[in-house]
Amino acid sequence: MAEIEIDGAPADPARLAALGLLNYGHFTTLRAEAGRVRGLALHLDRLVRDCRALFGAELDRAAVRERIGAVLPADGAPVIVRVTVYDPALGLERPAAPAAPALLVTTRPAAAAEPAPLRVRTAAYRRELPEVKHVGLFGLVHHRRQAQLAGYDDVLLVGEDGLVVEGATWNVGFLAGERLVWPQGPSLPGVTEALLSGAYRGPQSREPLPADGLDRFTAAFAVNAGVGVRPLAAVDGTAFDPAHPALAVLRAAYLGIPAEAVGG
């Protein structure tokens, strides 16, 4: 199995150069196991939507499914697959030239065990084009690095208005008892967030959440396709219960979502 390929062929330095030097493109990351992916249709929708937004081009959904299927291990072992869409011929001087996006597909083993709860700190930052999952990760990585240097695990992004937006590479939710509250604001529409929101049978809402008012919640969690539901132990100086019973309900709801066969 190739660990990295472009349009079905082993990646070569010349075609990778544009992504490394220009850093213009978008991606989605998904977890595949036994040839199946939760929310596969939503991942494909994201890639098609973002390709139109960044390149003004249509992406072939069938081709994406084919490329994902080609890199999955034959034994069905769980892997993390990242599909990046970029144009190897795009130049800095003429980014408005007609685009011919390529598919760069990479894989890595998926974590087997449940990851430990996260301790995060807040940082004032808003991604460019927050509705697009683009490859411009400098700000996110910088703030994550600064948080880790300060003794935290990760960073929770807050807007200039002081409202919670999203995590560095994850969406965030909060629990007041069994009531699930999602932040309201400009953030990436997460696939796992959408799946979990549809699967959870308890009360839920979307509200503006001031970062200095999170102590009204009893539990908090991060969600993305790689880890599913991951508890937060603390945000800045506010502690949460990483073993709150509602978190187990959320995990069960997520794991109960049927996965879609990549082969269709």
Side-chain angles (χ1 to χ4, degrees), residues 240-259:
F240 299 104
D241 180 7
H244 192 284
L247 291 171
V249 174
L250 286 171
R251 286 196 196 93
Y254 178 67
L255 293 175
I257 297 170

Side-chain angles (χ1 to χ4, degrees), residues 59-174:
L59 195 64
D60 186 340
R61 295 168 65 98
V64 177
R65 293 181 76 125
E66 180 180 354
R67 296 300 357 123
I68 294 173
V71 301
L72 298 183
D75 62 0
V79 291
I80 302 299
V81 181
R82 171 168 161 163
V83 180
T84 302
V85 181
Y86 79 109
D87 185 352
L90 191 68
L92 182 62
E93 297 79 10
R94 289 284 298 166
L103 297 176
L104 184 148
V105 182
T106 62
T107 61
R108 68 178 190 271
E114 289 187 7
L118 290 169
R119 292 180 62 256
V120 305
R121 78 170 185 181
T122 56
Y125 181 73
R126 177 180 173 178
R127 295 186 305 112
E128 295 176 303
L129 290 177
E131 68 277 11
V132 173
K133 194 174 180 68
H134 55 74
V135 299
L137 302 180
F138 174 83
L140 299 178
V141 175
H142 172 71
H143 283 293
R144 173 177 281 173
R145 171 179 164 81
Q146 295 304 308
Q148 291 177 353
L149 290 173
Y152 295 86
D153 300 309
D154 211 336
V155 65
L156 179 64
L157 307 180
V158 175
E160 293 181 355
D161 53 8
L163 298 178
V164 170
V165 180
E166 59 188 342
T169 54
W170 37 273
N171 293 105
V172 65
F174 297 88

Side-chain angles (χ1 to χ4, degrees), residues 184-220:
Q184 186 178 77
S187 63
L188 182 72
V191 168
T192 307
E193 177 186 327
L195 292 173
L196 187 59
S197 178
Y200 184 58
R201 297 301 174 228
Q204 61 181 298
S205 61
R206 189 171 296 277
E207 305 171 12
L209 296 180
D212 60 3
L214 299 180
D215 55 354
R216 70 184 176 98
F217 296 107
T218 50

